[in-house]
Amino acid sequence: FQAYHDLLTHLPNRALLKDRLSLAIAHARRNKRRLAVMFLDLDRFKLVNDTLGHSMGDRLLKAVANRLQSCLRRGDTLARFGGDEFTLLLPEVRTKDDVVVIASKILDRLNSPFVIDGHELFVGASIGISIYPEAGDSEEALIQNADIAMYQVKGRGKNGYQFFSEEMNHQFSTRLSMERELRNGIAQGELRVFYQPQVSLQDGRITGVEALVRWQHPNKGLVMPVDFLPVAEETGLITQIDEFVQTRAFADLALWRRKGLGDIGVSVNLSAVQLEQDSFVDRFVAVLQSSGLSADLVKLELTENTLMQDMELIIPKLKALRRIGVRIAIDDFGTGYSSLSYLQQFPIQTLKIDRSFVGDIRADESDASIINAIVAMARGLKLDLIAEGVENRTQLRYLHTLSLIH
C-alpha cells in the first residue's frame, strides 16, 4: 500500500497513476475511445502553508482530497502527484463536455471555504486538461501537456480550467527559453533601472521619479517589462528583480541627493510574491537603511490586484512600513477592484490614474468622465493623485483644470 499510495491523503501516488494511465491508454487505443487527464494545482495553498504552518497545510490537503473524491465517477482515478498537485484520470469520455462538467464541479466544490481549527481557508484550483489521442498518446505526453495547459490558467489569473492545444507547446518552449535567459541575465547583471519623472502641475518641478526595470539582452537589445515580467512572476524570479530595482533605486537617489540634485523622492514597484514573503518588511527596511535614505522619500507602488491577494496578511506589513514613514500608492487605479472599502482599510496616500484613462482625454473633453470621478473621490479621501502617461498638451491642459496635486 505504501509503495503505491500517498501516506498523507491515502490517494494513489504518481507510480500507481502512471500504471493505471498506461492500462487506460491501451484500452482506449484498442477500442478507439478517448480519455482525459486533468492536472490540478491548488491556488493559494503556499500562502496557507507559509502563514499557518505545515500541520495546517497537511490538514487542508486531506480536506481537499476528500472534496475532490466526491467529484469522481466510478472508474476515475484521483492521485496526489506531489506537493499541492493532484492528477485525475478519466478513463472514458465521449466529448469535451463530459470533462467540462467534472472540471466545473471541482472548481465549484473547492470555492466553498474550508474551516479548520476555527480558520476559514479559501483555495481555488488551476486545472489543465489533455485528451487522448489529440493531446498525446503516452502517459508522459498526456501528463506533461495537461501540466502545460494548467500553466495557461495560472497565467491568466488562476481558478479555472484549460484544454491543451498544440500552440501551447510553442508557448511553453518559448517560456522555458525565456526563463533560462532571464535567470542568466539576472546573474550576469543585464537588468537596468530607468527613471520616469513625476512632475508637479502647480509649478512644473520634478517632485519624484519612478524606478522602472528594463533588460539589456545581449542579442535582443533593450527588452520591455511586458515581455519578461510575466515569466518572472510565474517562476518566482520577480522577487530578485524587485529587490534589485529597489536596491539600485535607493542607492541612486542617495547619490543624487549627496550631489545636490534636488529634493525628490523615488517610487518603486512591489509584486505580490515579494509582499507575501514572511521576511519582506525586515529585508526591505534593511535595504533602505543601508542606502542612508530617509523612509519618507520612498513610495511603494502596488496594483489593486496585489492588495487584494490576502488582506489579513498584507495590511499589517504595509502599516509597519507606513509607521516608519514609507508612503504607499495604488498603481493603475481604475483597472482593478476600485473599491472604496479597501481604500479606507489600507494605509494609502496616493492614487495613480492609469495611463489608459489619461490617453482617453480629447480636446472636447468628452472621454474624461472616469478621471473626473477619480479626482473627486481622491479629494474626498484626501489622497494625492498622479496621472500616468501624460504625452500631449491637451492632456496636460485638462489636468491643469482639475488642479491635481501631482
Side-chain angles (χ1 to χ4, degrees), residues 43-63:
D43 302 328
R44 296 168 52 82
F45 174 76
K46 184 178 182 299
L47 188 59
V48 173
N49 215 32
D50 291 348
T51 55
L52 298 178
H54 292 286
S55 176
M56 183 67 75
D58 286 348
R59 295 172 67 183
L60 177 58
L61 283 174
K62 291 170 73 172

Side-chain angles (χ1 to χ4, degrees), residues 69-173:
Q69 285 181 302
S70 71
C71 301
L72 303 186
R73 309 168 306 171
R74 181 177 298 176
D76 294 344
T77 295
L78 174 68
R80 185 181 177 200
F81 207 71
D84 61 346
E85 297 173 337
F86 296 84
T87 307
L88 177 59
L89 164 62
L90 309 177
E92 190 167 324
V93 294
R94 288 170 296 177
T95 66
K96 281 188 173 182
D97 289 342
D98 294 340
V99 186
V100 168
V101 168
I102 296 174
S104 300
K105 189 176 182 181
I106 289 172
L107 293 173
D108 183 59
R109 291 283 173 86
L110 292 183
N111 277 336
S112 299
F114 293 83
V115 180
I116 302 176
D117 279 352
H119 294 279
E120 195 173 42
L121 308 176
F122 292 88
V123 294
S126 299
I127 304 174
I129 306 168
S130 59
I131 302 286
Y132 170 90
E134 299 97 301
D137 59 1
S138 69
E139 308 99 83
E140 292 79 8
L142 288 169
I143 292 173
Q144 177 180 302
N145 290 340
D147 190 16
I148 291 172
M150 182 272 293
Y151 272 104
Q152 297 287 317
V153 181
K154 290 282 188 188
R156 67 168 187 250
K158 306 180 181 181
N159 200 44
Y161 64 85
Q162 174 68 56
F163 286 91
F164 173 81
S165 64
E166 270 304 321
E167 66 183 32
M168 291 179 191
N169 255 335
H170 173 69
Q171 295 172 358
F172 184 68
S173 61

Side-chain angles (χ1 to χ4, degrees), residues 26-42:
H27 183 268
R29 184 181 294 120
R30 197 164 48 242
N31 296 286
K32 296 186 174 9
R33 301 288 178 86
R34 306 168 90 194
L35 64 83
V37 172
M38 290 187 184
F39 197 95
L40 184 152
D41 185 270
L42 297 182

Side-chain angles (χ1 to χ4, degrees), residues 120-359:
E120 195 173 42
L121 308 176
F122 292 88
V123 294
S126 299
I127 304 174
I129 306 168
S130 59
I131 302 286
Y132 170 90
E134 299 97 301
D137 59 1
S138 69
E139 308 99 83
E140 292 79 8
L142 288 169
I143 292 173
Q144 177 180 302
N145 290 340
D147 190 16
I148 291 172
M150 182 272 293
Y151 272 104
Q152 297 287 317
V153 181
K154 290 282 188 188
R156 67 168 187 250
K158 306 180 181 181
N159 200 44
Y161 64 85
Q162 174 68 56
F163 286 91
F164 173 81
S165 64
E166 270 304 321
E167 66 183 32
M168 291 179 191
N169 255 335
H170 173 69
Q171 295 172 358
F172 184 68
S173 61
T174 301
R175 192 188 73 86
L176 285 178
S177 175
M178 172 73 78
E179 180 184 347
R180 284 193 299 270
E181 292 183 14
L182 183 56
R183 285 186 187 277
N184 185 62
I186 293 172
Q188 297 297 321
E190 294 172 3
L191 296 183
R192 303 286 183 268
V193 179
F194 286 62
Y195 296 96
Q196 184 175 42
Q198 297 171 342
V199 180
S200 169
L201 279 179
Q202 295 177 331
D203 55 17
R205 184 174 58 89
I206 294 178
T207 60
V209 293
E210 179 183 358
L212 303 170
V213 69
R214 303 288 186 265
W215 178 12
Q216 189 65 56
H217 193 282
N219 301 319
K220 300 174 184 176
L222 198 64
V223 183
M224 294 293 106
V226 69
D227 295 321
F228 68 89
L229 286 188
V231 171
E233 289 171 350
E234 285 179 25
T235 58
L237 292 173
I238 190 65
T239 299
Q240 294 181 49
I241 294 174
D242 282 346
E243 291 182 350
F244 165 79
V245 173
Q246 291 156 13
T247 302
R248 175 58 56 84
F250 297 163
D252 284 349
L253 183 63
L255 176 63
W256 299 340
R257 292 177 66 81
R258 287 196 299 271
K259 292 186 174 181
L261 296 182
D263 185 20
I264 63 174
V266 64
S267 298
V268 292
N269 291 289
L270 184 63
S271 68
V273 178
Q274 187 186 17
L275 184 55
E276 288 173 356
Q277 290 184 318
D278 290 339
S279 60
F280 161 66
V281 173
D282 291 339
R283 291 167 67 93
F284 186 87
V285 171
V287 171
L288 181 59
Q289 289 177 342
S290 67
S291 72
L293 277 185
S294 172
D296 60 0
L297 296 173
V298 173
K299 184 180 292 180
L300 276 180
E301 296 194 3
L302 306 90
T303 64
E304 296 169 278
N305 291 337
T306 296
L307 284 175
M308 303 304 287
Q309 292 284 329
D310 191 319
M311 294 174 66
E312 290 184 6
L313 178 69
I314 290 172
I315 290 176
K317 293 181 179 180
L318 295 183
K319 286 185 175 179
L321 291 175
R322 186 70 197 107
R323 281 194 293 271
I324 66 171
V326 175
R327 298 174 64 80
I328 312 295
I330 303 301
D331 201 5
D332 303 333
F333 185 77
T335 62
Y337 291 87
S338 305
S339 166
L340 289 176
S341 63
Y342 85 71
L343 289 179
Q344 292 180 316
Q345 294 180 59
F346 287 96
I348 295 162
Q349 291 76 51
T350 304
L351 298 182
K352 292 185 69 179
I353 302 173
D354 187 70
R355 65 186 304 116
S356 62
F357 301 131
V358 175

Side-chain angles (χ1 to χ4, degrees), residues 2-33:
Q2 290 180 1
Y4 291 100
H5 291 80
D6 171 57
L7 297 184
L8 176 66
T9 63
H10 294 170
L11 293 176
N13 62 14
R14 189 181 305 203
L16 183 52
L17 170 77
K18 288 189 174 180
D19 184 58
R20 291 186 181 176
L21 179 53
S22 177
L23 292 173
I25 290 173
H27 183 268
R29 184 181 294 120
R30 197 164 48 242
N31 296 286
K32 296 186 174 9
R33 301 288 178 86

